[in-house]
Amino acid sequence: MIATAYVFAATEWARVFLLQDYNTRVVLCGTMILGVASGVVGALMLLRKRALVADVASHAALPGIGAAYLTMEAIRPDSGRWLPGLLLGATISASAGLLFAQGMRRIRRIKEDAALAITLSLFFGMGVVLLTWIQSLPTGHAAGLNEFIFGKAAALLASDITGIAIAAVIAVGVVALLRKEFCLLCFDAEYAHAGGWPVTGLDLLLTALVIVITVVGMQSVGLLLIVALMVLPPTSARFWTERFEPLVWISGGFGGAAAMLGVLLSALVPKFAAGAVIVLSGSFMFALSFLFGTQRGLWWRYRAMSAAQRQIALDDLLRACYEILEPQISSLEELTEKPLTQAALLETHRWSPARLRPLLRHAELADLLRRDSQENWRLTANGRRAAIQAVRYHRLCELYLIHYADVPLLGADRTADAFEHSIRPEILEQLETMLEARSPRLMIPANPHAPLNPMVGMPESEAVS
Amino acid sequence: MADPISPLSVHDLTVAYQRQPVLWNVDYEAPAARLIAIVGPNGAGKSTLIKSLLELIPRATGEVHFFGQTYQQSRHRVAYVPQRTTVDWDFPVTAHDVVTMGLYGRLGWFRPVTRAAKREALEALERVGLADFAKRQISQLSGGQQQRVFLARALVQQADLYLMDEPFAGVDAATERTIVGLLQGLRSEGKTALVVHHDLQTVNEYFDDVLLLNMRVIAAGPVATVFNAENLKRTYGGKLALLDQVGHQMVLAGRPQ
């Protein structure tokens, strides 16, 4: 019995994933095309900082659907479910909603977010009233207009797909053709305006694309969730790239992938509404991108941060070693010869033994410190070089902060710029002169090509200040 | 009517937000091949002036001519450097991409960015000393570097008149020197720059002409004749501490070497 159950499950999986089912093929095709188009258009919307517009457009489409149904029924009974007519109604009322929101923003004291929220609830409220009324009509119950709210991806027909495909191809085509113009619009609309680009026209075109995607997407994902399919893919894509065009296409890819995953999962578990599963798949991709995205993913940031922290801790340890030995030596070569006790190390930095132990182990593994026969620590040749470098950096930084804190660093990005590359060269030169005056030994390893400085320390009074 | 040689001539320009005017009856003729500072207190309408010249905000009345033509006709001869804070620096573009945007107008509709355009943009980045930063996403640049990216974007337009909104605001000394060098280079090529400037102490050093503005033109002309304590007092009202500083600066500047 159990074996048959397994065989049944396996064939079920194979049936779904090998696309043997005609219906699954149709649904998959349609929603994937829709996913790609909404990812692409959504990317522009998000970068133009108008993500909410899509939400308003979809909610505002509902009364249009109801009104279109009633109009068509009035003209010719039983023709109310004619899809192109319903979609036309949806388009008109979505556009009306956006114009309404736009108009309301002209009134002072109503901010954009408030205008959008008012429009959304007003239009959606009207839509719900119309739809409940239609439900009470004798023919209305079978109209199935509720499907527009939650979507009916699993029940898409080949004829629906043609419409979706045409709309999606047009939308993607327009974006491909105008990617340069849209990039400029999204980044700096004012500059685009000054350069003679028709900013209002481009914005209108973008809004039109959003309305088209929203209206065709309502059939499969539903108007409540279509906004997610426009916002999740580009937000996810942002974690993988720092460029505009790749962002747009990756976003399209994510949209298509989310749609595919959602349709396949809902085909396996028919009790789950496909639209919702598609959106959840999109959210799953967002979570993955947020964690592992190569450009800004949390995982990479965490790795970079802990590596930086470890480096700072090691530098502190090496600096402590140098500073303990500093009074005992007459030349830098002697650094490797003197022992360092654990007690002395604990003293200098107020480390706890629990904190110091792993640090020492780490330094030993990195061949910076070694243990001698008396269980004391000694710098290795590597460690000596690293210690001198660390002290030099530290003292340059200190001098910089004392004397030039008002001069901003050249490099803005701590992860990308070494300290010495972020100070202006002439200031670095002055800092080095000061450092030389205070601790002449430290100059030698940093300037292997410069003529050797005398090893004699200058009296403190002559130091540059 | 309008002098065809003058890069910018403004006649009777009034700009109003809602019903409250922010600029009154501005009359101004910009001389060619000069570096001109627009100076005035906060809220004096300096940015408004530049934006209304570029038709970014509507004018209530007034006529503006660039090189004797309307802005529509002479757009390719005018380059705009907006304030750095007007854009989102987290936007997914590199420094190189932003500079390339200055060439979109010349490329025209639908055309993809050509290799030649990319090379030209890179050369402009070199001119502002940022060749090494071309591939950086723009949020990884310091404020001064971002400002220089904006300048490079205007430079590739190869315009004859540059309108700059506070390019010196919040930049480091290296950037300030780069900008000054660029401005002087532009002037030697016979080009004109109108620069909104907030640092009174450097007006003498950086600019040839000055336009003192406080909702209307207080005075305009060569720095040597116009930029004096009396005019500044009329522009700023009674902020004496500030004026003393500038006075001191002017004494220093006027002292024989």
Side-chain angles (χ1 to χ4, degrees), chain A residues 49 178 180-181 187-188 190-191 193-198 238 242-244 296 408 410 412 416-417 424, chain B residues 51 71 75 80 88 90 92-94 97 102 104 108-111 136-137 141-142 145 153 157 172 177:
Chain A
K49 314 224 180 314
L178 289 173
K180 163 173 121 268
E181 287 77 6
F187 175 62
D188 194 347
E190 195 176 64
Y191 180 78
H193 196 300
W197 296 98
R238 191 66 185 86
E242 299 276 24
R243 302 289 297 275
F244 176 78
R296 296 154 169 241
L410 291 179
D417 301 302
R424 283 170 36 208
Chain B
K51 284 182 187 171
Y71 182 53
R75 201 167 343 238
Y80 173 43
D88 171 17
D90 211 27
V93 282
T94 61
D97 294 335
Y104 283 5
W109 285 94
F110 310 120
R111 301 276 189 74
R136 285 246 183 124
Q137 198 269 328
L141 300 171
S142 72
Q145 289 167 337
R153 182 176 69 171
Q157 288 181 256
D172 52 286
R177 276 194 311 243

Side-chain angles (χ1 to χ4, degrees), chain B residues 142-253:
Chain B
S142 72
Q145 289 167 337
Q146 291 172 344
Q147 188 65 59
R148 282 189 267 165
V149 169
F150 264 14
L151 279 171
R153 182 176 69 171
L155 284 179
V156 293
Q157 288 181 256
Q158 298 182 346
D160 296 312
L161 173 66
Y162 289 80
L163 300 176
M164 306 185 181
D165 203 345
E166 302 242 11
F168 292 104
V171 302
D172 52 286
T175 299
E176 188 152 338
R177 276 194 311 243
T178 313
I179 301 177
V180 170
L182 283 174
L183 286 174
Q184 286 163 353
L186 290 175
R187 178 179 53 192
S188 66
E189 292 168 29
K191 299 177 172 186
T192 311
L194 229 80
V195 181
V196 174
H197 194 56
H198 62 285
D199 182 13
L200 294 177
Q201 311 206 9
T202 49
V203 169
N204 256 317
E205 192 185 332
Y206 296 165
F207 294 97
D208 311 317
D209 276 46
V210 66
L211 171 62
L212 291 168
L213 197 71
N214 191 353
M215 296 182 73
R216 59 208 160 79
V217 176
I218 306 290
V223 173
T225 55
V226 171
F227 195 65
N228 53 40
E230 191 197 336
N231 279 335
L232 280 173
K233 199 168 184 175
R234 285 170 57 208
T235 313
Y236 281 84
K239 292 174 189 163
L240 284 170
L242 188 73
L243 291 179
D244 283 350
Q245 252 181 22
V246 178
H248 180 64
Q249 205 67 25
M250 289 192 319
V251 170
L252 287 182

Side-chain angles (χ1 to χ4, degrees), chain B residues 15-145:
Chain B
V15 180
Y17 285 132
Q18 306 299 336
R19 249 169 271 154
Q20 187 186 15
V22 268
L23 279 176
W24 285 94
N25 304 74
V26 173
D27 273 298
Y28 183 63
E29 292 273 329
R34 304 274 275 179
L35 303 180
I36 307 156
I38 303 178
V39 171
N42 290 335
K46 301 179 299 254
S47 298
T48 306
L49 174 63
I50 286 201
K51 284 182 187 171
S52 67
L53 295 178
L54 295 169
E55 297 175 5
L56 294 174
I57 44 179
R59 306 163 188 154
T61 58
E63 277 177 47
V64 175
H65 287 96
F66 294 90
F67 306 99
Q69 295 174 307
T70 64
Y71 182 53
Q72 245 89 354
Q73 292 163 326
S74 55
R75 201 167 343 238
H76 60 283
R77 299 183 69 182
V78 181
Y80 173 43
V81 181
Q83 278 186 33
R84 183 161 49 84
T85 46
T86 54
V87 301
D88 171 17
W89 290 92
D90 211 27
F91 198 83
V93 282
T94 61
H96 195 176
D97 294 335
V98 174
V99 178
T100 315
M101 287 178 194
L103 293 162
Y104 283 5
R106 231 191 295 156
L107 286 168
W109 285 94
F110 310 120
R111 301 276 189 74
V113 177
T114 57
R115 224 168 259 253
K118 284 184 186 164
R119 203 174 325 118
E120 218 173 304
L122 199 59
E123 280 164 16
L125 271 175
E126 249 161 59
R127 273 179 78 182
V128 298
L130 289 180
D132 297 339
F133 298 83
K135 288 195 177 144
R136 285 246 183 124
Q137 198 269 328
I138 50 176
S139 66
Q140 295 175 346
L141 300 171
S142 72
Q145 289 167 337

